[in-house]
Amino acid sequence: MLERTPDSSGKRRWFWPLRSKPKADTVFYEPYGDAIPPRIDEPVAPLKKPRGKWWWFSRGAAAALFVFILLVAYLAITAPLSKSLQPIVPPQITLLTTDGQPFARNGAVVDDPVEVAKLPDHVTEAFMAIEDRRFYSHWGIDPRGLARALWSNMSGSGMMQGGSTITQQLAKTTFLTPERSLTRKAREMLISFWLEAWLTKDEIFERYLSNVYFGDNVYGLRAASLHYYYRQPENLDLEQAIMLAGLVQAPSRLAPTRNPDLAAKRARLVKSAMVNAGYLTQDEADRLGTPRLDVRAKNALPTGTYFADWAMPQARALTDLSYESLTLTTTLDSRLQEIARRAIASAPLGQAQVALVAMRPDGEIVAMIGGRDYAKSAFNRVTQAKRQPGSTFKLFVWLAALRSGMDPDDKVDDSPITKGGYLPKNAGERYRGEISLKDAFARSSNVAAVRLFGQVGDRAVIREARNLGIKSPLAEDDPSLALGTSTMTLMELTAAYAGVAGNRWPVEPYAFKKDEQTWAEWLFDWPGRYKADTHADMEKLLRSAVNEGTGRRAMLSIPNYGKTGTSQNNRDALFVGYAGDGDDRLVVGVWIGNDDNTPLKGISGGSTPARIWKDFMQQAVQARKPASSRKPVARPDPEGPVVPLDLPEIPDIPVNVGDTEVRINGDSGVRVGTEIGGVPVDLRIDGDGVAIERRREENPAEADR
């Protein structure tokens, strides 16, 4: 909208609303002497009052107050007060096996919060003297303390001091990162004002003492007094309180268990500060000595094992932060873990590494060996190593073929591929012409796998892998994928076989018992399933691979299913399969390889991995006694000694007598592999008696690739 204003000529001129109007013209008149000047009808422009310093100061103060209110509001939203009630690090967690045996302990040592009212005066005075002697008189920021610290540090008096109050230290450790910047310092001061406004001085002091770090992985005054002097903080004497108060400046460097001389030197500075603050006289300070440590270490548990390293993040996610040490029961079965350890210890591995994981069909992990020796290498080859699965990947190719409508008895060409850009070969270059899908899977035909892959398409094969939980990248439009050239973890691969074992996918491995699924979760989280005939056909293929094909060294006297795998140039050797029924059914994956990815010597998927798998399954499933005949076992003390579930043991003693192989082991007895009347057999002598099993040896020329 336009606005009209009259000009000097009486006409009206138009101006935009946001433009300033022209100033009125000043009219000058000639003097009239004593005569009365003519009447002036034009308005006179009002004089503008100049803006003084007070005007600018008041506007600046209002703007600063507005910004301050916004900052306080932001802090109130982003830094909740309840966070100061929590410890600043995760508490200590002890992991137990299913029968209650502790096997790993990890995390900070914390304990219950302290109450200032129940602490002796000399305890609180020691901390205030060295950290914040005007704590009960300032509002979160102590200008005098800042000035004193600055002067002390500049003058080189020998007592280096910081200017942060106890409130500021609580704000920093609870709410902020340890970065050094002016922005963080400003936020620290603002949070300090906020804490002072909402908490009493005693509450601030209590939160500080319950969170501060004292070295040796110990947080909080109660945990520290128990750790260093084996007494509650309410019973600390003056010398002990002085020593603990001195640790908080540099706890890792001053811990008396590591550097007693530095800790004693710092304690002398605390005594001097107490004298200056009026809490002690000089004579009283001179009579004080250095307190004697009373560290009573309990039976220590290892901070990690292969299973514990994988399970601990799940434990943190399942629990809320608290001051209490936690004890959690995992799914790890100590009996099965020990069987796995023995099976690996007795295997002829040379310098190669090995990994084994055992799970239930729903993903419950019951045993895990991530390497030959955790103390030498904590790298978990079950969960961290991504290696080629070799022919174990053919599971997904044949599943795609079955779901496309093919039958195990349908024929596939097992002759050399001579055209195209990819020309795979069978192991030993043995070809059989037209054979059934069942025989091709049992003998792990590479050319048949590539032809099936081309027939069903890469999307169908990748779809089956994704359905069964494979999350690692899979190459598209690459026929070598059929032979397992894309990398994945042993955990992923074994979980995929578990999906087939239970006909319920995808399977998510877990370390802690799951709650019963609610009807709503069951309704919206419907698992995938194969049709009954598809699942039966796939199990027929897996069983033929063990009983008639490349996995014969893994054959059991009970129904068994599995697949061998050997990657390119013998860099990886695997056997993955399952056996047993009902609650005792286990899915086990075994991998052997070198960490530097160099080829293995004389090891394929159908040799040592299959043998380890069989040794494990024979004791874990086949020789499992009925529940009614099992003797009850007393539950161990969670605070007691640890069973070294991941440490190597003395292996069994192999003795070769001609064509006879004898293995002697104090736990599993004597095992003899020989021939009777030209028939290879295994003879086992242990506490359960004598057992003879027929063994069908694998032809080395048919080694799976």
Side-chain angles (χ1 to χ4, degrees), residues 563-579:
K563 184 71 185 74
T564 57
T566 308
S567 66
Q568 294 173 319
N569 300 321
N570 280 65
R571 290 188 174 93
D572 306 273
L574 304 97
F575 189 92
V576 186
Y578 55 94

Side-chain angles (χ1 to χ4, degrees), residues 518-525:
T518 64
W519 69 269
E521 291 173 335
W522 175 84
L523 183 63
F524 291 101
D525 189 20

Side-chain angles (χ1 to χ4, degrees), residues 82-321:
S82 60
K83 186 177 180 182
S84 63
L85 297 172
Q86 301 172 349
I88 61 178
V89 293
Q92 187 179 80
I93 294 180
T94 301
L95 299 181
L96 310 180
T97 59
T98 53
D99 62 350
Q101 173 67 51
F103 66 91
R105 184 172 291 137
N106 187 268
V109 180
V110 296
D111 215 308
D112 295 334
V114 297
E115 296 182 32
V116 169
K118 296 181 179 180
L119 295 175
D121 290 341
H122 58 258
V123 173
T124 56
E125 289 170 354
F127 282 91
M128 287 191 296
I130 193 64
E131 294 297 323
D132 185 6
R133 66 182 64 176
R134 283 172 31 84
F135 171 70
Y136 279 96
S137 60
H138 62 64
W139 282 26
I141 307 297
D142 185 9
R144 287 172 55 184
L146 285 171
R148 184 180 64 250
L150 181 62
W151 172 255
S152 176
N153 297 339
M154 292 179 61
S155 63
S157 63
M159 187 188 301
M160 298 299 291
Q161 298 186 22
S164 295
T165 65
I166 286 177
T167 309
Q168 286 177 269
Q169 294 181 52
L170 176 63
K172 178 177 63 177
T173 57
T174 307
F175 296 98
L176 303 173
T177 62
E179 65 170 331
R180 294 178 178 272
S181 66
L182 292 176
T183 302
R184 188 200 60 77
K185 196 68 176 179
R187 294 196 71 215
E188 175 187 306
M189 292 182 178
L190 287 172
I191 296 175
S192 299
F193 285 128
W194 184 63
L195 288 173
E196 293 278 350
W198 287 95
L199 297 176
T200 66
K201 285 290 187 178
D202 284 351
E203 288 174 333
I204 293 173
F205 209 177
E206 288 168 357
R207 283 154 177 74
Y208 168 78
L209 293 176
S210 299
N211 278 295
V212 69
Y213 183 46
F214 286 91
D216 280 3
N217 201 33
V218 175
Y219 288 79
L221 180 60
R222 188 173 304 279
S225 61
L226 289 170
H227 173 70
Y228 290 114
Y229 301 112
Y230 201 66
R231 62 175 59 190
Q232 297 291 346
E234 292 81 6
N235 300 324
L236 287 171
D237 61 30
L238 178 57
E239 294 172 341
Q240 294 166 341
I242 289 174
M243 178 65 75
L244 292 177
L247 300 183
V248 298
Q249 183 199 47
S252 298
R253 183 170 57 90
L254 298 174
T257 52
R258 301 179 183 180
N259 298 303
D261 294 338
L262 288 178
K265 182 178 179 181
R266 178 66 179 175
R268 290 193 291 271
L269 293 179
V270 176
K271 285 188 287 186
S272 178
M274 293 186 73
V275 172
N276 294 335
Y279 298 133
L280 291 177
T281 65
Q282 189 61 53
D283 290 340
E284 292 173 333
D286 293 339
R287 287 196 298 267
L288 295 175
T290 301
R292 182 178 180 180
L293 294 177
D294 188 5
V295 180
R296 304 184 185 185
K298 299 181 180 179
N299 293 320
L301 296 178
T303 58
T305 65
Y306 290 117
F307 181 89
D309 289 350
W310 173 71
M312 198 61 72
Q314 300 179 51
R316 302 288 183 202
L318 289 172
T319 58
D320 296 327
L321 285 176

